[in-house]
Amino acid sequence: MIPFLSLKDINAQYAEELKAAAAEVIDSGWYLMGKQLQAFEAELSDYIGCKYVVGTANGLDALRLIIRAYKEMGLFQEGDEIIVPANTYIASLLAITDNGLRPVLVEPDIQTYNLDFKQLESKITPRTKAIMVVHLYGQVCWSTELEELAEKYQLKIIEDNAQAIGAWWKDKKTGNLGDAAGFSFYPGKNLGALGDGGAVSTNDAKLAEIVRALGNYGSRKKYHNDYQGLNSRLDEIQAAFLRVKLRHTDEENKRRDEIAKLYLEHISTVNLILPFPQKTLTYDHPSHVWHLFVIRTQHRDKLQDHLRKHNIQTLIHYPVAPHQQKAYAGYFHTSLPVTEAMHCEVLSLPISPAMGDQEVEQVISTVNAF
């Protein structure tokens, strides 16, 4: 069986480093808000190139806390609107609606699966306060047009960077492109913890300060609560594990890129659409870190069954569009044909950095034999 993503195989490569990190935390006797968190925040900040990083309990909380902090700063209020891709994972929307704001859905570019920038301006209203860009599947979602629109209408740009750590836009990495970014360190991410975890990155000192307080029960000083906060902290042992994994992120992203290039070169496009990675002109940095390798076909279910019978595991990211979820029944009253068609056609092939060349060749030959 070729698994979609063997976390055991990925983490086995760093087993001794991870065990040493765990032992260091256990022996320290300090398990929250300690030296490991401080070190990881500093190292991630240096890696991204931004001024501030705040660890959180998970990626959803990272986005929730950004929006909540802007509310506390008086920049957002309930009923305001945030533009967001219609084909994102539901967490992007949950962060908005949990804060009493309204997500305004925009269809994706059918080639990149990221926001269709040409549709953005028509969605902006007097209530629009931000655009949330999602670097979906690991590909950068950015443009000069986006920057110009944000400046023209005085909008914040929030990055959902759960899937694209290590990707670049020209001379900046994702997580340092907008006003703030939310990261997820769910185990299956390109930088994955051995449990849950997340972070907020920003160059805004005030925002970082409020996010940190909000995630600590609304407290800057123990037993003194400035906000009605929540408990969303990245614990010491996950921070220690992430420090180990961060050192290998670029290496793993490089392997993902090698696999993606083999897929793009050798998988037949008969009745099948391959990803369309954009190039960052004049720069050698990767604009796609291949968190997922997503193909499209009208024969998705039959292809998935064919691969399963040949011991190749695939997943669907995502089978149901957010606006069609029961959680948002009656909330959206719009037709989104591009998004809806995509969710019936997408299939994610294995692209684990622990895959060997023989496994990659087996995936290619089995897809081509369908």
Side-chain angles (χ1 to χ4, degrees):
M1 166 66 77
I2 298 178
F4 179 75
L5 185 71
S6 174
L7 297 177
K8 181 179 179 181
D9 289 343
I10 290 172
N11 290 320
Q13 302 171 95
Y14 321 120
E16 295 308 312
E17 292 176 81
L18 293 168
K19 290 174 184 177
E24 185 176 348
V25 173
I26 293 167
D27 292 344
S28 75
W30 195 289
Y31 308 119
L32 282 170
M33 310 281 283
K35 293 180 180 179
Q36 294 291 342
L37 176 61
Q38 293 173 8
F40 173 66
E41 290 176 342
E43 288 161 9
L44 183 59
S45 174
D46 182 66
Y47 177 82
I48 301 166
C50 71
K51 292 181 180 178
Y52 309 103
V53 166
V54 181
T56 63
N58 53 68
L60 172 56
D61 278 1
L63 295 174
R64 290 170 67 202
L65 288 166
I66 291 168
I67 298 170
R68 173 68 187 282
Y70 279 132
K71 287 176 67 179
E72 295 292 350
M73 294 166 70
L75 300 177
F76 295 175
Q77 60 183 350
E78 292 194 11
D80 284 342
E81 298 170 352
I82 295 180
I83 293 172
V84 65
N87 61 315
T88 185
Y89 182 56
I90 197 170
S92 308
L93 276 69
L94 292 172
I96 298 169
T97 57
D98 185 65
N99 278 289
L101 278 75
R102 187 168 188 85
V104 175
L105 304 180
V106 175
E107 290 263 59
D109 181 318
I110 195 58
Q111 285 192 312
T112 67
Y113 310 139
N114 278 329
L115 270 176
D116 185 346
F117 298 120
K118 296 188 295 294
Q119 297 188 40
L120 286 180
E121 190 161 20
S122 67
K123 300 291 185 178
I124 296 172
T125 75
R127 297 306 301 267
T128 307
K129 292 297 184 291
I131 301 169
M132 182 181 289
V133 298
V134 181
H135 306 299
L136 196 66
Y137 306 151
Q139 180 159 222
V140 175
C141 177
W142 204 261
S143 71
T144 53
E145 180 183 8
L146 171 69
E147 295 175 337
E148 290 167 358
L149 277 177
E151 183 176 358
K152 178 179 178 180
Y153 293 98
Q154 294 298 294
L155 306 177
K156 297 294 183 184
I157 303 180
I158 300 170
E159 297 175 72
D160 181 338
N161 198 35
Q163 300 184 11
I165 187 167
W168 293 74
W169 171 259
K170 296 186 177 179
D171 58 349
K172 286 186 177 182
K173 283 182 178 171
T174 56
N176 190 32
L177 297 172
D179 295 284
F183 290 74
S184 168
F185 305 125
Y186 179 80
K189 296 295 193 275
N190 289 38
L191 174 57
L194 275 68
D196 233 330
V200 170
S201 63
T202 184
N203 290 302
D204 185 331
K206 184 67 173 177
L207 181 74
E209 178 195 8
I210 295 175
V211 165
R212 190 178 298 282
L214 285 169
N216 187 36
Y217 298 96
S219 174
R220 293 184 175 92
K221 180 181 178 182
K222 195 169 185 177
Y223 302 131
H224 295 263
N225 304 81
D226 299 320
Y227 309 103
Q228 296 178 28
L230 56 142
N231 177 12
S232 183
R233 302 175 295 197
L234 180 64
D235 65 68
E236 284 288 280
I237 201 158
Q238 295 303 335
F241 289 152
L242 287 164
R243 293 183 67 197
V244 172
K245 299 287 291 291
L246 180 60
R247 294 196 290 268
H248 301 283
T249 297
D250 287 342
E251 177 187 346
E252 289 196 0
N253 283 347
K254 183 179 178 182
R255 178 55 182 162
R256 289 174 180 270
D257 186 61
E258 291 171 353
I259 296 169
K261 285 177 179 175
L262 289 170
Y263 283 167
L264 290 169
E265 184 176 353
H266 296 292
I267 290 178
S268 169
T269 55
V270 176
N271 293 321
L272 184 150
I273 299 171
L274 294 173
F276 185 80
Q278 291 181 310
K279 303 296 182 183
T280 303
L281 299 178
T282 72
Y283 289 84
D284 296 327
H285 303 309
S287 61
H288 201 322
V289 293
W290 299 105
H291 172 60
L292 299 171
F293 190 95
V294 179
I295 62 176
R296 284 174 38 230
T297 173
Q298 294 180 357
H299 311 287
R300 190 263 306 281
D301 295 342
K302 290 182 179 179
L303 175 57
Q304 186 175 40
D305 186 57
H306 167 76
L307 291 167
R308 185 186 302 112
K309 288 176 179 176
H310 287 81
N311 296 313
I312 297 171
Q313 183 186 25
T314 59
L315 295 177
I316 298 172
H317 297 87
Y318 305 98
V320 182
H323 71 283
Q324 295 179 317
Q325 296 282 0
K326 184 178 179 181
Y328 287 110
Y331 194 94
F332 298 103
H333 304 282
T334 184
S335 175
L336 298 164
V338 176
T339 296
E340 291 160 17
M342 276 183 58
H343 284 262
C344 294
E345 297 176 352
V346 291
L347 184 67
S348 300
L349 300 181
I351 190 165
S352 164
M355 286 177 72
D357 289 345
Q358 188 173 352
E359 292 177 305
V360 177
E361 291 170 6
Q362 186 177 340
V363 172
I364 293 169
S365 63
T366 307
V367 172
N368 288 344
F370 175 66

